[in-house]
Amino acid sequence: MTVPVLIDILKNSSFKVNLYVAQKFQKIPLPPAYDDRVKAIKLPVYNFAAVRRFSGFIDNANIASELLELKKSLQSTRWQSAIASNAYAAADYNPPWQLQFRVNEVILWFGNTD
């Protein structure tokens, strides 16, 4: 199990799952793919990220509500320009069989430098 599992939420409501690969395995991180959709990706580069931690299991409803709360917390701060960003992700730090004390994050990316 890799930790964290980073899930990029894309504009068309689809998602991209990113798995962490330890530094010592990054030269050749993937075995030969059995599926053409499996490939190494390069994440977009952003200057900043605003993060909100929450518990429980990740699902569409709590990602949306936690993202809304994160954006509300940025209002009237020097980071309020991030509220307009639609680039966000969710991170899951626990295996699916762990039922208690789960740690998740919703991440709002902004300041894209691409």
Side-chain angles (χ1 to χ4, degrees):
M1 180 81 194
T2 67
V3 176
V5 174
L6 183 65
I7 306 161
D8 279 327
I9 315 315
L10 306 174
K11 292 178 184 172
N12 58 2
S13 298
S14 63
F15 57 91
K16 180 173 42 175
V17 177
N18 304 287
L19 303 175
Y20 174 76
V21 176
Q23 185 69 35
K24 66 181 180 179
F25 299 115
Q26 287 186 6
K27 277 191 173 184
I28 307 173
L30 297 172
Y34 296 107
D35 185 328
D36 288 340
R37 296 174 296 173
V38 177
K39 58 185 137 190
I41 60 163
K42 181 178 180 253
L43 295 175
V45 178
Y46 293 90
N47 287 331
F48 304 103
V51 179
R52 180 177 169 89
R53 184 169 284 176
F54 63 99
S55 62
F57 283 88
I58 289 180
D59 62 30
N60 290 343
N62 63 15
I63 290 173
S65 65
E66 295 294 337
L67 182 63
L68 181 62
E69 290 300 316
L70 176 58
K71 287 184 174 187
K72 282 182 186 176
S73 73
L74 295 173
Q75 290 175 348
S76 301
T77 71
R78 67 185 232 179
W79 305 108
Q80 67 185 9
S81 63
I83 295 170
S85 175
N86 288 323
Y88 64 98
D92 184 357
Y93 291 90
N94 305 98
W97 56 84
Q98 183 175 340
L99 303 178
Q100 296 180 332
F101 310 112
R102 296 184 61 82
V103 177
N104 309 299
E105 295 173 337
V106 65
I107 304 159
L108 183 64
W109 306 109
F110 60 102
N112 191 334
T113 60
D114 281 356

